[in-house]
Amino acid sequence: MTMPLPRRMFAVLALLSLHTMAAAAQTRDVAGSRDYPGIGRFTGSVITGYVVKDFDATRMQAAAFRDGQPTDARRLEGRIVRIAYRTNPGPSILEVSRNFETQLAKAGYETLLACDTDACGAIPFTEAIDTLPVPQMWVDGFNYRYFAGRKTEGGRETYASVIVSQNNQDITAQVTVAELGAIANKMVDATAMAKGLGETGHIALYGIYFDTDKAALKPESRPTLEQIAKLLTSQPQLNVFIVGHTDSQGAYDYNLDLSKRRAEAVAAELVKSFRIAQVRLRAAGVGLLAPVGSNATDAGRALNRRVELVAP
């Protein structure tokens, strides 16, 4: 006699089924994603998840588990890139993983750990590594392969890991790269703003945040806005240009318009929430025309996406 599934279990299975169908229907990379330089992807794969943080932490295992416990777990801080892929039925987990491993070796990564399910530590091992959520990434704790490597180049230490698994007949893989480094101080206070305007006539602000392709200010922008207001309140005769900048991704005219709308959003918020007189603020956007980093790299593009205060 077949026992009915509990409602909660049925709901979970139904949700996973929907996630699986959604992933299977995807035929193009998620918007704004790209392969990590020098690593690339397995032929025929699409990017299902893509998260890049200028500063974050990730968990990597540099050795297999013993008695269900980690023996060399590493918490890595710096610029973290997470890219998930799905490959249509055909290749094996081992084939996809070995291709990534070969590519990483060519890129200069020395192997810290390369193991399959049981040798790694089975399900407890997968629970201790960093993966994007379903449906972006799927890991079967009973069937996977894991690789972790490390390289040092020009005094800079970088780690990379690859977890390859299977969902139905599709092969799933996630590449995680950790470029170790200290957190950049993006909190520019009123004193630093005044100094920058006085010495160079402008100051770049990286504490003002927008969603991709949008001009609405995010709540986490408030501390920097407070410092701009503090500067302007302490210097009643100071007027400023607020200038928006973008990276080179997207059309030229679109970026010009987006950068101007973002600058206008900053000015509007200063007027609305901090009672700065509108006549003291003039908004402009220059799009990609004044880069401070290379638009060929993620790091350079991050530097180029900014708002600047400019003295008249």
Side-chain angles (χ1 to χ4, degrees), residues 6 11 25 27 47 55 60 84 88 90 97 120 139 153-154 161 185 201 211 228 231 236 289 291 296 299 312:
T27 58
I47 296 178
F55 189 83
M60 286 191 189
N88 289 329
S97 184
C120 289
V139 178
E153 188 174 62
S161 69
N185 181 11
D211 284 326
I228 299 174
L231 166 69
L289 296 178

Side-chain angles (χ1 to χ4, degrees), residues 6 18-19 43 51 53 59 73 91 95-96 106 114-115 137 146 159 162 170 177 180 185 189 214 223 232 249 263:
L18 287 173
H19 283 160
T43 301
V51 177
K53 299 290 186 183
R59 302 183 307 277
E95 181 183 7
V96 174
K106 289 180 181 178
C115 57
M137 179 59 188
Y146 181 83
Y159 287 78
V162 181
D170 293 338
V177 180
L180 302 196
N185 181 11
D189 63 15
K214 291 186 171 53
L232 294 170
Q249 303 297 299

Side-chain angles (χ1 to χ4, degrees), residues 67-271:
D67 298 325
Q69 297 297 319
T71 58
D72 190 353
R74 303 191 184 188
R75 185 179 188 276
L76 309 173
E77 292 188 354
R79 181 172 179 270
I80 309 297
V81 180
R82 302 172 177 93
I83 312 172
Y85 297 93
R86 177 180 56 78
T87 300
N88 289 329
S92 66
I93 289 174
L94 182 60
E95 181 183 7
V96 174
S97 184
R98 283 282 170 79
N99 271 267
F100 274 114
E101 292 169 34
T102 298
Q103 193 66 19
L104 286 163
K106 289 180 181 178
Y109 289 86
E110 59 175 311
T111 301
L112 297 173
L113 175 63
C115 57
D116 298 302
T117 309
D118 292 336
C120 289
I123 292 176
F125 185 91
T126 63
E127 294 174 342
I129 59 175
D130 182 358
T131 56
L132 293 171
V134 174
Q136 296 177 64
M137 179 59 188
W138 178 282
V139 178
D140 180 351
F142 295 97
N143 191 17
Y144 63 87
R145 181 171 174 82
Y146 181 83
F147 171 89
R150 172 187 173 275
K151 76 172 180 179
T152 302
E153 188 174 62
R156 186 176 191 178
E157 192 174 13
T158 304
Y159 287 78
S161 69
V162 181
I163 176 84
V164 182
S165 190
Q166 188 169 337
N167 179 22
N168 292 327
Q169 298 302 310
D170 293 338
I171 301 299
T172 59
Q174 180 174 319
V175 174
T176 303
V177 180
E179 302 167 358
L180 302 196
I183 188 169
N185 181 11
K186 293 188 176 182
M187 190 56 214
V188 180
D189 63 15
T191 301
M193 292 178 194
K195 185 172 185 289
L197 290 173
E199 292 181 352
T200 65
H202 66 99
I203 181 77
L205 307 176
Y206 292 97
I208 296 177
Y209 302 98
F210 305 90
D211 284 326
T212 302
D213 290 340
K214 291 186 171 53
L217 282 162
K218 299 180 76 171
E220 48 266 47
S221 303
R222 187 170 180 85
T224 297
L225 293 170
E226 288 174 345
Q227 292 301 311
I228 299 174
K230 181 178 179 181
L231 166 69
L232 294 170
T233 301
S234 67
Q235 298 187 33
Q237 305 306 313
L238 176 64
N239 299 329
V240 294
F241 290 103
I242 300 172
V243 183
H245 297 259
T246 69
D247 59 27
S248 64
Q249 303 297 299
Y252 172 80
D253 289 337
Y254 177 83
N255 278 327
L256 278 179
D257 179 65
L258 177 63
S259 62
K260 184 179 180 183
R261 287 189 288 118
R262 287 179 169 178
E264 290 171 341
V266 173
E269 186 64 20
L270 288 170
V271 172

